[in-house]
């Protein structure tokens, strides 16, 4: 009997040891994605909007102060993030759903496909908004394709339950996992469900007809106390719009806390790389759909056990860098070092351990063609630590306005004041906002609001030429079909055939 008992304990210890080895060697990724989220976060020095859970995540890891999306539009940004390729290269030129009907190319390899080949369990909860399904297929999908978007993207109690379900399945299969929790907050309700407020801030609030989200404790904000972004006019209508946005950001923050708690309960807080970011900038004038700072700059937090904690990084980072970062961490595959002059996506993993030297030549790139199918306004941009060069390819047309922004209190306020010739305390006129030159060059360090176009300035001729050459090189390397526009046609041999149109 004693001998059998001894064998039993040996077997038990072996099993425990095996489980410990599995757990300690496992690597996982949790990516938390906001929808049109900006810097209304305590960790980014907003002192009004309450985001204690996101702030706590920032204290656990590295906060990036120079992070950018490669395209300021929902579906194109998500496709770029999941492929590591800009929108002009992966084919997702505009919004995926409805009449817009944009899809990536069928031969693109997405992150979930790549990870599945290495036996990683992949999941997405919330807003997917990319296609085709054959390219962006996750093992576990709970998205707007089969569930109401507000339930799966804003109901944080439901999101918590789905997260628990995914983690239980990952543990059951004993697989490393990649989970994308794509919140629909703080996206506007717009013209679809105006009864919930401009930002769906009343959805699930417990008010009559609004439903109830059990885990949500709504925060409400005074319109005259919000921190106004530089790109939003200082009027009561716009401030009330910002206050509504804050309420949905607080709901998002509470959802982040619930998801992180589920991660801890499942036993994976010590082996998971957790990242928080947004697909693009805020849905206000000068923000989403533009190549300006409020459209391209996004929050980015990354927490990894054993790496730096409570650190701020000045490294230039792009959402295109997330795919090589996830691959580096999950698959133990650091990407090969790029050539010295390369502007390819890179792994951010080394930055979580050590701050790299800051070089003036560090740069990120942006590319946009559409948002809605009617919003054809292709732009290309390169942004270094000091300068940004924007190429507005369709500069002869007025800049298009998306439907959600058009019906917003903020934009209607701009329209009404312009129509009535009333004072408009904004950083531009509406005409200046609509009509843009072909080239825009800004000294971001001296002019962070991008109001003084330096294009053609003799003293910056060498700088502008260098930026333009670098942008052309990136467009060539990423096979941009628009790289010759608008002055030339892309010929079959890859060269630009001039149109002699005087551009």
């Amino acid at each position: 009997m004693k001998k059998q008992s001894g064998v039993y304990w040996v077997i038990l210890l072996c099993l425990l040891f095996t489980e410990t080895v599995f757990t300690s060697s496992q690597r996982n990724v949790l990516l938390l994605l906001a929808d049109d989220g900006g810097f209304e976060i305590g960790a980014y020095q907003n002192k009004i909007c309450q985001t204690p859970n996101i702030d706590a995540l920032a204290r656990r890891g590295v906060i990036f102060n120079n992070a950018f999306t490669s395209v300021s539009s929902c579906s194109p940004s998500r496709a770029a993030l999941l492929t590591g390729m800009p929108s002009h290269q992966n084919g997702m030129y505009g919004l995926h759903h409805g009449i817009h009907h944009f899809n990536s190319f069928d031969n693109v390899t997405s992150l979930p496909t790549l990870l599945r080949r290495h036996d990683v369990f992949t999941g997405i909860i919330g807003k997917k908004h990319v296609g085709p399904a054959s390219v962006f297929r996750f093992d576990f999908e709970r998205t707007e394709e089969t569930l109401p978007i507000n339930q799966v993207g804003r109901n944080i109690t439901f999101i918590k339950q789905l997260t628990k379900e995914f983690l239980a399945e990952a543990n059951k299969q004993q697989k490393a996992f990649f989970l994308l929790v794509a919140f629909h907050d703080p996206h506007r309700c717009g013209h679809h469900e105006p009864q919930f407020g401009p930002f769906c801030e009343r959805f699930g609030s417990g008010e009559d007809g609004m439903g109830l989200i059990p885990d949500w404790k709504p925060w409400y904000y005074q319109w005259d106390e919000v921190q106004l972004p530089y790109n939003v006019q200082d009027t009561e209508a716009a401030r009330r719009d910002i206050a509504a946005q804050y309420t949905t950001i607080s709901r998002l923050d509470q959802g982040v806390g619930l998801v992180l708690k589920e991660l801890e309960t499942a036993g994976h807080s010590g082996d998971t790389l957790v990242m928080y970011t947004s697909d693009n900038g805020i849905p206000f004038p000068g923000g989403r759909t533009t190549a300006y700072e409020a459209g391209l700059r996004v929050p980015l937090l990354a927490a990894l056990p054993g790496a730096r904690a409570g650190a701020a990084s000045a490294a230039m980072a792009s959402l295109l860098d997330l795919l090589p970062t996830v691959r580096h961490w999950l698959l133990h595959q650091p990407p090969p070092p790029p050539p010295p002059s390369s502007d390819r996506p890179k792994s951010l993993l080394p930055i979580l351990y050590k701050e790299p030297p800051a070089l003036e030549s560090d740069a990120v790139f942006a590319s946009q063609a559409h948002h809605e199918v009617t919003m054809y306004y292709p732009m290309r941009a390169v942004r270094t630590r000091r300068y940004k060069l924007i190429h507005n390819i369709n500069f002869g047309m007025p800049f298009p306005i998306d439907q959600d922004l058009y019906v917003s209190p903020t934009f209607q306020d701009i329209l009404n004041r312009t129509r009535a010739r009333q004072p408009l305390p904004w950083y531009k006129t509406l005409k200046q906002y609509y009509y843009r030159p072909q080239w825009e060059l800004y000294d971001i360090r001296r002019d962070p609001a991008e109001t003084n176009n330096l294009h053609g300035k003799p003293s910056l001729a060498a700088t502008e030429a260098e930026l333009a050459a670098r942008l052309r090189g990136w467009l060539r390397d990423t096979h941009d079909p628009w790289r010759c526009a608008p002055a030339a046609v892309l010929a079959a041999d890859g060269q630009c055939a001039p149109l002699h149109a005087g551009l």
Side-chain angles (χ1 to χ4, degrees), residues 207-247:
E207 302 173 60
D208 288 345
M210 298 296 110
L212 177 66
I213 300 174
D215 287 294
W216 182 35
K217 297 177 177 58
W219 285 82
Y220 297 104
Y221 297 87
Q222 298 297 319
W223 64 268
D224 55 348
E225 295 180 355
V226 300
Q227 289 183 214
L228 202 66
Y230 75 91
N231 54 304
V232 178
Q233 73 271 23
D234 192 357
T235 65
E236 180 176 341
R239 284 179 169 274
R240 288 188 180 276
D241 212 13
I242 294 286
Q245 178 206 26
Y246 279 14
T247 297

Side-chain angles (χ1 to χ4, degrees), residues 130-348:
V130 290
S134 59
V135 171
F136 298 98
R137 178 171 290 116
F138 292 77
D139 299 313
F140 180 102
E141 295 196 8
R142 304 293 186 271
T143 72
E144 79 283 359
E145 293 181 350
T146 57
L147 296 161
I149 182 61
N150 280 342
Q151 289 296 333
V152 78
R154 300 189 199 264
N155 184 338
I156 59 176
T157 297
F158 191 38
I159 293 170
K160 175 188 72 173
Q161 294 167 350
L162 294 175
T163 301
K164 183 177 182 178
E165 181 183 343
F166 170 85
L167 293 172
E169 184 60 28
N171 282 345
K172 179 182 177 181
Q173 296 190 25
Q174 292 194 340
K175 286 184 177 182
F177 64 79
F178 170 81
L179 175 60
L180 169 56
V181 179
F183 295 91
H184 195 27
D185 283 332
H187 194 284
R188 288 187 178 277
C189 263
H191 57 288
H192 293 296
E193 297 174 299
Q195 71 274 19
F196 292 130
F199 280 90
C200 276
E201 69 276 8
R202 300 176 65 195
F203 174 75
S205 64
E207 302 173 60
D208 288 345
M210 298 296 110
L212 177 66
I213 300 174
D215 287 294
W216 182 35
K217 297 177 177 58
W219 285 82
Y220 297 104
Y221 297 87
Q222 298 297 319
W223 64 268
D224 55 348
E225 295 180 355
V226 300
Q227 289 183 214
L228 202 66
Y230 75 91
N231 54 304
V232 178
Q233 73 271 23
D234 192 357
T235 65
E236 180 176 341
R239 284 179 169 274
R240 288 188 180 276
D241 212 13
I242 294 286
Q245 178 206 26
Y246 279 14
T247 297
T248 58
I249 289 173
S250 292
R251 180 170 57 203
L252 162 68
D253 176 78
Q254 291 176 42
V256 166
L258 293 173
V259 171
L260 292 178
K261 182 63 178 176
E262 290 300 324
L263 184 73
E264 180 183 5
T265 301
H268 290 295
S269 59
D271 56 23
T272 301
L273 168 61
V274 179
M275 294 181 286
Y276 169 87
T277 189
S278 175
D279 54 353
N280 46 250
I282 59 177
F284 285 85
R288 186 185 71 182
T289 75
T290 79
Y292 298 129
E293 292 291 278
L296 294 179
R297 282 193 69 207
V298 292
L300 177 60
L301 311 173
L304 180 63
R308 293 195 290 167
S313 176
M316 299 286 283
S318 168
L319 294 191
L320 294 175
D321 298 330
L322 295 194
L323 185 146
T325 302
V326 171
R327 183 181 62 205
H328 190 179
W329 170 248
L330 269 183
L331 306 182
H332 304 257
Q333 292 180 355
S341 60
S342 172
D343 286 316
R344 298 174 185 170
K346 61 188 179 299
S347 170
L348 302 177

Side-chain angles (χ1 to χ4, degrees), residues 6 60 89 104 113 123 133 166 219 272 281 286 292 348 374 377 379 400 411 415 441 461 466 484 493:
R60 286 172 40 200
Q89 188 177 19
S104 292
T113 299
F166 170 85
W219 285 82
T272 301
Y292 298 129
L348 302 177
T374 54
Y377 201 87
M379 298 170 285
F411 196 75
L415 289 177
L441 175 65
E466 181 181 349
C484 297
D493 61 359

Side-chain angles (χ1 to χ4, degrees), residues 43 45 54-65 300-314 351-353 355:
Q45 305 305 309
I54 298 175
D55 299 345
L57 179 63
R59 290 192 295 271
R60 286 172 40 200
V62 176
I63 180 170
F64 286 80
N65 288 319
L300 177 60
L301 311 173
L304 180 63
R308 293 195 290 167
S313 176
I351 300 173
L352 303 188
Y353 293 93
E355 183 72 5

